């Protein structure tokens, strides 16, 4: 059960190995995203709505993920990439919306730290797993359909995990996205979920296919632990569940209608969330824009900032 790479924060000497994290996530995914009667895939008619409205249009009847049939996860386990894919479609689909389509959840663990090749390229470590959601090929019920997802998580004591937005000046790894959203569970070994508020409407992910992703804060929800022994062993003591809604896209700009494709990803982990340093590109731009005197000032500023951080015990600075 212990990782090979020695001590890690949060879990002490016995950090879970990437493979354990993967199997945990693969068996917990049914709890988080599949199976429960309250977990749903939403579809909205976004034809006549403005950017800010929530929900983003008139809702069509949601697809309950409890009424999906899923592939046998064992067949899609790939030890080489430490990944597995759940692929499903509604069992009852009279309109044939999913005749050529599916909703897929791909989980991937990582042997070490790095970044995936595709945006949003969140920094990951061996203590994290990526979960990628893709809706591909399903027929939308309107010309301007927007989609959403209800996600369930474990609560923490009497509260739901805290949703937090972080701004950054750096968009090198996720074009035009200057924000990182996260859910934080407080006590140690703490857990976290991180994502960039961006989804993509083409498998070739780039600025042209980037859609906004909006998240509402979690609320308490009813759910039951899945039967999986490994999930029960880890989460038996938890008896409260929270759920939150995500919506993808806006009525203008790129959308699912372009290619009948939507993908979004998040990072789940234990311990302290990985923190992005400024990318070399942004540092380079700063050097070019500010010149050496500016850089010295910046370095001084960073020094003060880090000093301040230490004094304020790493309180977030806005
Ligand atoms: C959109 O809104 C306009 C004005 O509010 C209305 O005339 C039009 O019928 C609406 N279209 C749809 C498809 O609801
Ligand atoms: C999934 O497939 C594996 C082998 O491919 C098999 O042993 C297992 O029973 C299958 N599980 C289900 C639920 O069909
Ligand atoms: C599914 O694909 C087949 C073959 O490409 C096509 O004939 C059919 O119309 C498609 N069905 C839907 C609902 O898109
Ligand atoms: C979708 O667009 C087509 C062509 O613009 C139009 O004929 C059709 O009525 C639209 N369908 C809906 C559901 O709005
Ligand atoms: C998510 O949105 C749907 C429909 O808009 C709503 O019925 C549901 O209660 C929401 N879930 C949460 C956890 O807010």
């Amino acid at each position: 059960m212990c990782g090979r790479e020695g001590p890690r924060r949060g879990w002490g000497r016995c950090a879970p190995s990437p493979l354990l994290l993967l199997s945990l996530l693969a068996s917990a995914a049914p709890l988080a995203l599949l199976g429960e009667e309250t977990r749903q895939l939403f579809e909205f008619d976004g034809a006549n709505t403005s950017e800010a409205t929530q929900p983003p249009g008139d809702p069509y009847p949601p697809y309950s993920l409890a009424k999906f049939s899923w592939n046998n996860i064992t067949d899609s386990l790939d030890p080489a990439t430490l990944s597995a894919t759940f692929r499903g479609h509604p069992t009852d689909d009279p309109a044939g919306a999913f005749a050529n389509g599916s909703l897929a959840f791909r989980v991937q663990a990582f042997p070490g730290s790095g970044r995936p090749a595709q945006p949003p390229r969140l920094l990951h470590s061996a203590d994290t797993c990526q979960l990628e959601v893709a809706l591909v090929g399903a027929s939308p019920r309107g010309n301007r359909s927007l989609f959403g997802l209800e996600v369930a998580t474990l609560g923490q004591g009497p509260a739901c995990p805290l949703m937090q937005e972080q701004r950054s000046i750096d968009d090198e790894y996720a074009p035009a996205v200057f924000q990182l959203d996260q859910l934080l569970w407080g006590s140690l070994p703490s857990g976290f979920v991180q994502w960039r508020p961006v989804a993509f409407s083409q498998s070739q992910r780039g600025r042209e296919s980037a859609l906004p992703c909006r998240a509402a804060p979690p609320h308490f929800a009813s759910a039951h632990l899945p039967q999986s022994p490994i999930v029960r062993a880890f989460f038996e003591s938890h008896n409260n569940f929270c759920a939150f809604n995500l919506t993808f896209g806006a009525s203008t700009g790129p959308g699912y209608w372009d290619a009948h494709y939507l993908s979004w990803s998040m990072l789940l982990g234990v311990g302290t969330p990985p923190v992005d340093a400024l990318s070399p590109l942004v540092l380079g731009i700063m050097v070019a824009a500010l010149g050496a005197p500016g850089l010295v000032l910046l370095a001084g500023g960073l020094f003060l900032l880090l000093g301040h951080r230490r004094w304020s015990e790493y309180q977030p600075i806005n």
Side-chain angles (χ1 to χ4, degrees):
M1 287 258 266
C2 296
R4 280 169 288 128
E5 287 131 73
R8 292 198 190 105
R9 271 171 298 174
W11 288 78
R13 285 196 311 117
C14 197
S17 71
L19 205 57
L20 173 63
L21 267 180
L22 175 65
S23 47
L24 191 59
L25 187 61
S27 40
L31 163 73
L33 293 150
L34 323 174
E36 293 300 329
E37 54 290 342
T38 51
R39 308 298 86 83
Q40 314 172 75
L41 172 69
F42 301 115
E43 184 174 353
F44 305 96
D45 179 8
N48 238 4
T49 49
S50 65
E51 279 276 313
T53 51
Q54 272 315 321
D58 292 333
Y60 295 101
Y63 296 102
S64 167
L65 300 191
K67 298 186 185 130
F68 271 48
S69 70
W70 303 94
N71 65 326
N72 184 344
I73 187 75
T74 318
D75 302 334
S76 72
L77 260 175
D78 180 3
T81 57
L82 296 173
S83 71
T85 307
F86 295 91
R87 199 176 298 281
H89 54 84
T91 34
D92 183 30
D93 186 20
F98 281 76
N100 293 331
S102 68
L103 179 67
F105 296 91
R106 180 173 185 267
V107 291
Q108 183 174 18
F110 304 104
S113 59
R115 284 176 203 282
Q118 289 262 55
R121 307 196 62 201
L122 276 179
L123 184 65
H124 60 69
S125 69
D127 287 342
T128 61
C129 283
Q130 178 173 271
L131 175 71
E132 203 174 287
V133 184
L135 178 67
V136 182
S139 308
R141 285 171 279 185
N143 283 340
R144 293 261 142 181
S145 277
L146 304 178
F147 288 90
L149 206 58
E150 187 179 60
V151 181
T153 68
L154 291 163
Q156 171 224 337
C160 282
L162 184 68
M163 189 172 279
Q164 201 184 60
E165 292 177 0
Q166 283 182 355
R167 306 253 156 209
S168 98
I169 55 166
D170 192 349
D171 76 334
E172 163 147 30
Y173 302 110
V177 181
F178 296 94
Q179 192 180 319
L180 177 74
D181 290 350
Q182 45 188 17
L183 281 182
L184 300 172
W185 283 257
S187 58
L188 283 172
S190 63
F192 63 90
V193 173
Q194 281 188 328
W195 66 92
R196 295 268 186 195
V198 64
F200 295 93
S201 66
Q202 311 267 354
S203 53
Q204 200 58 48
R205 302 176 193 178
R207 197 183 285 263
E208 315 71 41
S209 61
L211 321 175
C213 159
R214 289 194 182 77
H219 297 293
F220 282 113
S222 63
H224 305 281
L225 279 181
Q227 290 307 313
S228 158
I230 190 166
V231 173
R232 292 200 165 254
F234 262 76
F235 299 119
E236 192 98 80
S237 59
H238 291 258
N239 50 16
N240 68 46
F241 296 89
C242 301
F244 63 101
N245 277 348
L246 292 162
T247 50
F248 308 107
S251 55
T252 53
Y256 184 75
W257 48 84
D258 290 333
H260 289 186
Y261 181 93
L262 177 72
S263 79
W264 173 79
S265 60
M266 68 182 185
L267 200 66
L268 301 90
V270 291
T272 313
V275 177
D276 255 324
L278 287 180
S279 68
L281 180 66
V282 163
L283 280 178
I285 291 171
M286 281 182 164
V287 171
L290 301 176
L295 199 67
V296 170
L297 270 177
L298 183 73
L302 278 178
F303 183 74
L304 284 177
L305 205 66
L306 292 174
H308 173 72
R309 270 163 67 119
R310 199 168 307 128
W311 278 105
S312 63
E313 299 200 343
Y314 296 90
Q315 295 280 311
I317 297 160
N318 294 314

PDB file of all heavy atoms in Angstrom, residues 234-253:
ATOM      1  N   PHE A 234     -11.863   2.832   3.037  1.00  0.00           N
ATOM      2  CA  PHE A 234     -11.340   4.188   3.146  1.00  0.00           C
ATOM      3  C   PHE A 234     -12.366   5.168   3.714  1.00  0.00           C
ATOM      4  O   PHE A 234     -12.022   6.072   4.445  1.00  0.00           O
ATOM      5  CB  PHE A 234     -10.889   4.689   1.767  1.00  0.00           C
ATOM      6  CG  PHE A 234      -9.425   4.547   1.554  1.00  0.00           C
ATOM      7  CD1 PHE A 234      -8.879   3.304   1.274  1.00  0.00           C
ATOM      8  CD2 PHE A 234      -8.574   5.637   1.647  1.00  0.00           C
ATOM      9  CE1 PHE A 234      -7.523   3.148   1.082  1.00  0.00           C
ATOM     10  CE2 PHE A 234      -7.219   5.502   1.465  1.00  0.00           C
ATOM     11  CZ  PHE A 234      -6.692   4.249   1.182  1.00  0.00           C
ATOM     12  N   PHE A 235     -13.626   4.985   3.331  1.00  0.00           N
ATOM     13  CA  PHE A 235     -14.590   6.056   3.575  1.00  0.00           C
ATOM     14  C   PHE A 235     -15.721   5.667   4.516  1.00  0.00           C
ATOM     15  O   PHE A 235     -16.677   6.395   4.662  1.00  0.00           O
ATOM     16  CB  PHE A 235     -15.191   6.531   2.241  1.00  0.00           C
ATOM     17  CG  PHE A 235     -14.175   7.080   1.298  1.00  0.00           C
ATOM     18  CD1 PHE A 235     -13.967   6.491   0.060  1.00  0.00           C
ATOM     19  CD2 PHE A 235     -13.411   8.190   1.641  1.00  0.00           C
ATOM     20  CE1 PHE A 235     -13.015   6.996  -0.824  1.00  0.00           C
ATOM     21  CE2 PHE A 235     -12.470   8.696   0.771  1.00  0.00           C
ATOM     22  CZ  PHE A 235     -12.267   8.095  -0.459  1.00  0.00           C
ATOM     23  N   GLU A 236     -15.580   4.475   5.174  1.00  0.00           N
ATOM     24  CA  GLU A 236     -16.667   3.982   6.009  1.00  0.00           C
ATOM     25  C   GLU A 236     -17.152   5.049   6.990  1.00  0.00           C
ATOM     26  O   GLU A 236     -18.341   5.202   7.219  1.00  0.00           O
ATOM     27  CB  GLU A 236     -16.196   2.749   6.784  1.00  0.00           C
ATOM     28  CG  GLU A 236     -17.316   1.987   7.455  1.00  0.00           C
ATOM     29  CD  GLU A 236     -17.742   0.795   6.621  1.00  0.00           C
ATOM     30  OE1 GLU A 236     -17.059  -0.237   6.664  1.00  0.00           O
ATOM     31  OE2 GLU A 236     -18.748   0.921   5.912  1.00  0.00           O
ATOM     32  N   SER A 237     -16.201   5.771   7.585  1.00  0.00           N
ATOM     33  CA  SER A 237     -16.568   6.701   8.650  1.00  0.00           C
ATOM     34  C   SER A 237     -17.298   7.939   8.122  1.00  0.00           C
ATOM     35  O   SER A 237     -17.837   8.713   8.892  1.00  0.00           O
ATOM     36  CB  SER A 237     -15.308   7.128   9.407  1.00  0.00           C
ATOM     37  OG  SER A 237     -14.419   7.740   8.501  1.00  0.00           O
ATOM     38  N   HIS A 238     -17.294   8.116   6.812  1.00  0.00           N
ATOM     39  CA  HIS A 238     -17.975   9.286   6.276  1.00  0.00           C
ATOM     40  C   HIS A 238     -19.449   8.994   6.092  1.00  0.00           C
ATOM     41  O   HIS A 238     -19.819   7.983   5.540  1.00  0.00           O
ATOM     42  CB  HIS A 238     -17.403   9.677   4.912  1.00  0.00           C
ATOM     43  CG  HIS A 238     -16.021  10.219   5.010  1.00  0.00           C
ATOM     44  ND1 HIS A 238     -15.731  11.557   4.947  1.00  0.00           N
ATOM     45  CD2 HIS A 238     -14.841   9.590   5.189  1.00  0.00           C
ATOM     46  CE1 HIS A 238     -14.438  11.722   5.073  1.00  0.00           C
ATOM     47  NE2 HIS A 238     -13.869  10.552   5.218  1.00  0.00           N
ATOM     48  N   ASN A 239     -20.265   9.869   6.588  1.00  0.00           N
ATOM     49  CA  ASN A 239     -21.675   9.633   6.362  1.00  0.00           C
ATOM     50  C   ASN A 239     -22.397  10.850   5.817  1.00  0.00           C
ATOM     51  O   ASN A 239     -23.601  10.896   5.763  1.00  0.00           O
ATOM     52  CB  ASN A 239     -22.355   9.131   7.633  1.00  0.00           C
ATOM     53  CG  ASN A 239     -21.995  10.026   8.797  1.00  0.00           C
ATOM     54  OD1 ASN A 239     -21.503  11.129   8.593  1.00  0.00           O
ATOM     55  ND2 ASN A 239     -22.238   9.556   9.998  1.00  0.00           N
ATOM     56  N   ASN A 240     -21.633  11.873   5.457  1.00  0.00           N
ATOM     57  CA  ASN A 240     -22.343  12.952   4.782  1.00  0.00           C
ATOM     58  C   ASN A 240     -21.741  13.206   3.417  1.00  0.00           C
ATOM     59  O   ASN A 240     -20.546  13.014   3.186  1.00  0.00           O
ATOM     60  CB  ASN A 240     -22.435  14.219   5.636  1.00  0.00           C
ATOM     61  CG  ASN A 240     -21.103  14.880   5.833  1.00  0.00           C
ATOM     62  OD1 ASN A 240     -20.342  15.039   4.903  1.00  0.00           O
ATOM     63  ND2 ASN A 240     -20.815  15.286   7.052  1.00  0.00           N
ATOM     64  N   PHE A 241     -22.611  13.587   2.525  1.00  0.00           N
ATOM     65  CA  PHE A 241     -22.221  13.745   1.133  1.00  0.00           C
ATOM     66  C   PHE A 241     -22.638  15.117   0.654  1.00  0.00           C
ATOM     67  O   PHE A 241     -23.624  15.675   1.114  1.00  0.00           O
ATOM     68  CB  PHE A 241     -22.892  12.672   0.267  1.00  0.00           C
ATOM     69  CG  PHE A 241     -22.433  11.300   0.619  1.00  0.00           C
ATOM     70  CD1 PHE A 241     -23.091  10.569   1.598  1.00  0.00           C
ATOM     71  CD2 PHE A 241     -21.321  10.760   0.023  1.00  0.00           C
ATOM     72  CE1 PHE A 241     -22.654   9.310   1.964  1.00  0.00           C
ATOM     73  CE2 PHE A 241     -20.876   9.494   0.374  1.00  0.00           C
ATOM     74  CZ  PHE A 241     -21.536   8.771   1.341  1.00  0.00           C
ATOM     75  N   CYS A 242     -21.851  15.648  -0.258  1.00  0.00           N
ATOM     76  CA  CYS A 242     -22.148  16.956  -0.806  1.00  0.00           C
ATOM     77  C   CYS A 242     -22.185  16.812  -2.326  1.00  0.00           C
ATOM     78  O   CYS A 242     -21.589  15.891  -2.879  1.00  0.00           O
ATOM     79  CB  CYS A 242     -21.074  17.965  -0.417  1.00  0.00           C
ATOM     80  SG  CYS A 242     -20.913  18.148   1.368  1.00  0.00           S
ATOM     81  N   ALA A 243     -22.881  17.728  -2.956  1.00  0.00           N
ATOM     82  CA  ALA A 243     -22.938  17.696  -4.418  1.00  0.00           C
ATOM     83  C   ALA A 243     -22.839  19.120  -4.938  1.00  0.00           C
ATOM     84  O   ALA A 243     -23.219  20.068  -4.245  1.00  0.00           O
ATOM     85  CB  ALA A 243     -24.227  17.049  -4.892  1.00  0.00           C
ATOM     86  N   PHE A 244     -22.284  19.253  -6.114  1.00  0.00           N
ATOM     87  CA  PHE A 244     -22.236  20.586  -6.730  1.00  0.00           C
ATOM     88  C   PHE A 244     -22.469  20.454  -8.222  1.00  0.00           C
ATOM     89  O   PHE A 244     -22.264  19.393  -8.810  1.00  0.00           O
ATOM     90  CB  PHE A 244     -20.932  21.311  -6.432  1.00  0.00           C
ATOM     91  CG  PHE A 244     -19.691  20.650  -6.972  1.00  0.00           C
ATOM     92  CD1 PHE A 244     -19.084  21.116  -8.132  1.00  0.00           C
ATOM     93  CD2 PHE A 244     -19.112  19.576  -6.304  1.00  0.00           C
ATOM     94  CE1 PHE A 244     -17.933  20.518  -8.626  1.00  0.00           C
ATOM     95  CE2 PHE A 244     -17.968  18.973  -6.796  1.00  0.00           C
ATOM     96  CZ  PHE A 244     -17.374  19.443  -7.954  1.00  0.00           C
ATOM     97  N   ASN A 245     -22.921  21.562  -8.803  1.00  0.00           N
ATOM     98  CA  ASN A 245     -23.250  21.567 -10.221  1.00  0.00           C
ATOM     99  C   ASN A 245     -22.189  22.288 -11.039  1.00  0.00           C
ATOM    100  O   ASN A 245     -21.695  23.342 -10.641  1.00  0.00           O
ATOM    101  CB  ASN A 245     -24.591  22.286 -10.437  1.00  0.00           C
ATOM    102  CG  ASN A 245     -25.770  21.371 -10.196  1.00  0.00           C
ATOM    103  OD1 ASN A 245     -25.610  20.161 -10.085  1.00  0.00           O
ATOM    104  ND2 ASN A 245     -26.950  21.958 -10.128  1.00  0.00           N
ATOM    105  N   LEU A 246     -21.890  21.706 -12.185  1.00  0.00           N
ATOM    106  CA  LEU A 246     -20.983  22.338 -13.145  1.00  0.00           C
ATOM    107  C   LEU A 246     -21.770  22.581 -14.424  1.00  0.00           C
ATOM    108  O   LEU A 246     -22.558  21.721 -14.824  1.00  0.00           O
ATOM    109  CB  LEU A 246     -19.840  21.390 -13.480  1.00  0.00           C
ATOM    110  CG  LEU A 246     -18.829  21.078 -12.394  1.00  0.00           C
ATOM    111  CD1 LEU A 246     -18.060  19.821 -12.753  1.00  0.00           C
ATOM    112  CD2 LEU A 246     -17.873  22.243 -12.228  1.00  0.00           C
ATOM    113  N   THR A 247     -21.568  23.721 -15.058  1.00  0.00           N
ATOM    114  CA  THR A 247     -22.162  23.920 -16.389  1.00  0.00           C
ATOM    115  C   THR A 247     -21.056  24.354 -17.340  1.00  0.00           C
ATOM    116  O   THR A 247     -20.127  25.055 -16.965  1.00  0.00           O
ATOM    117  CB  THR A 247     -23.291  24.970 -16.381  1.00  0.00           C
ATOM    118  OG1 THR A 247     -22.840  26.147 -15.725  1.00  0.00           O
ATOM    119  CG2 THR A 247     -24.518  24.445 -15.660  1.00  0.00           C
ATOM    120  N   PHE A 248     -21.191  23.890 -18.566  1.00  0.00           N
ATOM    121  CA  PHE A 248     -20.130  24.108 -19.562  1.00  0.00           C
ATOM    122  C   PHE A 248     -20.661  24.914 -20.736  1.00  0.00           C
ATOM    123  O   PHE A 248     -21.690  24.563 -21.313  1.00  0.00           O
ATOM    124  CB  PHE A 248     -19.618  22.760 -20.074  1.00  0.00           C
ATOM    125  CG  PHE A 248     -19.218  21.823 -18.981  1.00  0.00           C
ATOM    126  CD1 PHE A 248     -20.004  20.731 -18.666  1.00  0.00           C
ATOM    127  CD2 PHE A 248     -18.067  22.046 -18.240  1.00  0.00           C
ATOM    128  CE1 PHE A 248     -19.654  19.862 -17.644  1.00  0.00           C
ATOM    129  CE2 PHE A 248     -17.706  21.194 -17.216  1.00  0.00           C
ATOM    130  CZ  PHE A 248     -18.498  20.095 -16.925  1.00  0.00           C
ATOM    131  N   GLY A 249     -19.954  25.973 -21.072  1.00  0.00           N
ATOM    132  CA  GLY A 249     -20.270  26.699 -22.294  1.00  0.00           C
ATOM    133  C   GLY A 249     -21.191  27.871 -22.093  1.00  0.00           C
ATOM    134  O   GLY A 249     -21.737  28.098 -21.018  1.00  0.00           O
ATOM    135  N   ALA A 250     -21.354  28.642 -23.150  1.00  0.00           N
ATOM    136  CA  ALA A 250     -22.237  29.792 -23.174  1.00  0.00           C
ATOM    137  C   ALA A 250     -22.921  29.780 -24.533  1.00  0.00           C
ATOM    138  O   ALA A 250     -22.495  29.069 -25.448  1.00  0.00           O
ATOM    139  CB  ALA A 250     -21.443  31.076 -22.968  1.00  0.00           C
ATOM    140  N   SER A 251     -23.991  30.595 -24.653  1.00  0.00           N
ATOM    141  CA  SER A 251     -24.773  30.526 -25.896  1.00  0.00           C
ATOM    142  C   SER A 251     -23.991  31.081 -27.093  1.00  0.00           C
ATOM    143  O   SER A 251     -24.283  30.746 -28.236  1.00  0.00           O
ATOM    144  CB  SER A 251     -26.084  31.268 -25.723  1.00  0.00           C
ATOM    145  OG  SER A 251     -25.831  32.576 -25.297  1.00  0.00           O
ATOM    146  N   THR A 252     -22.998  31.918 -26.808  1.00  0.00           N
ATOM    147  CA  THR A 252     -22.172  32.414 -27.904  1.00  0.00           C
ATOM    148  C   THR A 252     -20.799  31.751 -27.822  1.00  0.00           C
ATOM    149  O   THR A 252     -20.453  31.182 -26.799  1.00  0.00           O
ATOM    150  CB  THR A 252     -22.001  33.938 -27.803  1.00  0.00           C
ATOM    151  OG1 THR A 252     -21.515  34.231 -26.489  1.00  0.00           O
ATOM    152  CG2 THR A 252     -23.321  34.649 -28.030  1.00  0.00           C
ATOM    153  N   GLY A 253     -20.043  31.843 -28.884  1.00  0.00           N
ATOM    154  CA  GLY A 253     -18.717  31.231 -28.892  1.00  0.00           C
ATOM    155  C   GLY A 253     -18.827  29.776 -29.285  1.00  0.00           C
ATOM    156  O   GLY A 253     -19.875  29.316 -29.726  1.00  0.00           O
TER     157      GLY A 253
END
